[in-house]
Amino acid sequence: MADAPELHPVVLSATALSANIGARILLDNQELLLREGERVGLVGRNGAGKSSLLRILAGEDHFYSGEISRRKLLRCAYLPQAISLEEHRSVRENILAGAQGTLDCLARYEHHDPGLAHRELEDLEREITVRQGWTLETRLQELATSLSVPDLSRPAGELSGGEKRRVALCRALVDCPDLLLLDEPTNHLDTETIQWLEEYLSRRKGTCLFVTHDRYFLDQVCTRILELQAGTLYSYPGNYTEYLRKKALREEEVRQNEERRLAFIRREIDWIRRGPKARGTKSWSRIQRFQEAVEAGPPPEEREAEMLMPPPAPFGDLIVSLKDVSLARGERLLFQNLSLEFTRGMRLGILGRNGLGKTSLLKLLLGELAPSTGTLRIGPKVEFNYVDQHRTSLHDAKTVVEDIGEGNDFVMFGNRKVAVWTYLRRFLFQDEEITTRVGELSGGERNRLLLAKVLKQGGNFLLLDEPTNDLDLSTLRVLEESLMAFPGCVAVISHDRYFLNRVCTDILAFEGEGQVVFQHGDYQYYQEKRSQRLAQTAPAPAPPAASPAPQASRPAKVRLTWKEQRELEGMEEAILAAEERVAQAEAIFADPEFHGKYGTRTQELTQEMEEAKAEVERLYARWEELSAKAAEAGKA
């Protein structure tokens, strides 16, 4: 595995790291280096061992062989996927448990023995300064506000799952650790909080290794991507976009090596079958090379999940219509005067902060809640199918096959029967996983099982509440493509901006207490329109105070030539065209069917993308040069 450039000191290293669960190999004699200031995203299939690797590095699991070395006095914080808080303690106490070492230092300082040596007191002050302990209370308040943590005095036992996760994330960040190990830090966070976390991690000085399937987050935060595949760690410097490009190059190289291996075997097999009489050293070495090529076998193949959905029944003239609908829960108004008409093929993305009423809107469509005011009409041919975010339809005590089969060895898929084992393999469940209890599955495997269980029920209107949580990148792409090809209607709650941008035809945004905004188009278009709205309502800046004219003599007059003026006027259009070429090149590399369409042109396409990026940089530099010259001419 290639490691990060040797620019900063190593904070953690692992050598000859191996781990397995039963027959499944998670890590196969791997090496790992984490350097100071790196922000590393760990990606891979569900069940590949990402969470296990984090637990091993955090010292939570010890079922491995190899050696892990940490920098002396390294302070590490770990956010697990399964959150555990001390429920009898308050939110504040749970958060401060993440800074216990700093609290101990502060207590020793405040109650130190008057006879303590001056040098020892200075050492204690220095340690508190290094830990940023003097600002601990201020930092706690800032983090709690930014992460929308519940009231600090509330008992942790009263919190919802999402609230507990925010508290646990705050606990991991509060002590400013040297190394952060975060497992799915964006789960249950709204888009605004995720954007805050992106900025926070990007500007902090420490090292961070995190597991996430949020592709925007990976693009914005990462300085390096680690991929765990079949027990092997692959390192890719750069963000998620760079990872896609470099992975495509690596896979093309693997494909070419496999072609060479097979060609070598085909060339040598006739010679081996003839059984040459001369068994000299040269012949034996030739036989050995042949045997090594045969035993090497093909590279591991990554299968894609298949999101099977029965063909939906046709709609009537009316699908779902909301007219001036308001919904209140108790004294609280969630939204009001919402008018919305669903049409065939509409895929509505629903986003906003937690607790504003997104799930309540889905329950309104399901008939579990009634509108406070207004009219809700649902067509007689509408068949809803609901995927809930809490996975309440799964039974932890049952095995995977029992939960899906419900006492049968087949599932009904539309009007036909499909064997349970065949159906589960389509969702990438291996034989040993099919007989595993549901309660022992990872978060991603549980979500994949829930999708398998719910989607087989059919329906022509899918209601999906946070379907992307814990899903790996490959399964996310398959889910996106399945929804895009689904001929019925979809209403999906998600904070995954990449998912919303790719899947949705319309956006419904809960922007504040009682305020809901509908916007045609994808997430990016909604963001553009929202920025325009905010700009229009923002107060105009005060004009700068007039300053006296300088008395110094004016420099010689600067003018743009006619050619430069024409160049400047066309510069914006040229930059937009160049950026479009870059976007098209990146889209080619992000295409899930890249290898089938473009595999033989990988190097050519890479060169084209680099040239397009270089052209964008050149144009921006030239634009700044000409703009500065024009501004100078205007002053003159």
Side-chain angles (χ1 to χ4, degrees), residues 395-461:
H395 301 90
D396 288 353
K398 293 183 178 181
T399 64
V400 171
V401 67
E402 290 170 344
D403 206 5
I404 287 288
E406 300 175 352
N408 301 308
D409 58 0
F410 61 88
V411 298
M412 291 303 300
F413 190 76
N415 296 323
R416 60 191 180 94
K417 295 180 180 179
V418 177
V420 173
W421 286 63
T422 301
Y423 181 71
L424 285 169
R425 287 193 187 103
R426 297 282 184 91
F427 284 83
L428 296 186
F429 285 97
Q430 304 301 317
D431 289 355
E432 66 273 12
E433 295 167 337
I434 290 175
T435 55
T436 299
R437 293 195 182 280
V438 173
E440 298 173 9
L441 298 177
S442 70
E445 290 166 333
R446 288 174 64 86
N447 208 8
R448 197 160 10 106
L449 178 62
L450 179 66
L451 289 171
K453 186 173 183 178
V454 174
L455 292 180
K456 68 182 176 65
Q457 298 171 10
N460 53 17
F461 200 129

Side-chain angles (χ1 to χ4, degrees), residues 200-215:
Y200 178 86
L201 293 178
S202 296
R203 67 174 183 263
R204 75 184 293 271
K205 296 180 180 179
T207 305
C208 184
L209 174 65
F210 52 86
V211 174
T212 184
H213 303 120
D214 188 318
R215 289 153 290 184

Side-chain angles (χ1 to χ4, degrees), residues 356-377:
L356 292 181
K358 302 185 300 296
T359 299
S360 295
L361 174 60
L362 296 191
K363 292 182 177 179
L364 185 74
L365 299 180
L366 288 169
E368 296 179 15
L369 296 175
S372 302
T373 61
T375 305
L376 168 65
R377 298 169 60 215

Side-chain angles (χ1 to χ4, degrees), residues 507-546:
I507 297 293
L508 186 68
F510 286 69
E511 294 188 348
E513 293 293 335
Q515 183 181 1
V516 183
V517 175
F518 175 80
Q519 178 65 59
H520 289 297
D522 58 18
Y523 173 78
Q524 185 175 350
Y525 188 68
Y526 156 74
Q527 281 289 76
E528 292 172 2
K529 290 298 183 182
R530 181 171 185 262
S531 298
Q532 292 174 10
R533 282 191 284 110
L534 293 176
Q536 290 171 357
T537 56

Side-chain angles (χ1 to χ4, degrees), residues 331-346:
E331 299 296 321
R332 186 177 169 214
L333 179 66
L334 297 180
F335 55 86
Q336 60 182 339
N337 301 327
L338 174 61
S339 295
L340 185 60
E341 193 83 24
F342 281 90
T343 57
R344 290 172 180 80
M346 183 173 174

Side-chain angles (χ1 to χ4, degrees), residues 439-514:
E440 298 173 9
L441 298 177
S442 70
E445 290 166 333
R446 288 174 64 86
N447 208 8
R448 197 160 10 106
L449 178 62
L450 179 66
L451 289 171
K453 186 173 183 178
V454 174
L455 292 180
K456 68 182 176 65
Q457 298 171 10
N460 53 17
F461 200 129
L462 300 180
L463 301 175
L464 311 177
D465 197 346
E466 295 287 3
T468 65
N469 279 353
D470 304 318
L471 290 182
D472 59 50
L473 297 174
S474 175
T475 308
L476 273 174
R477 287 195 295 271
V478 175
L479 175 61
E480 288 166 353
E481 288 156 12
S482 298
L483 293 178
M484 289 160 66
F486 183 65
C489 286
V490 178
V492 54
I493 297 173
S494 180
H495 302 304
D496 187 324
R497 294 157 291 174
Y498 198 104
F499 175 89
L500 291 169
N501 214 38
R502 191 166 183 220
V503 170
C504 296
T505 60
D506 303 274
I507 297 293
L508 186 68
F510 286 69
E511 294 188 348
E513 293 293 335

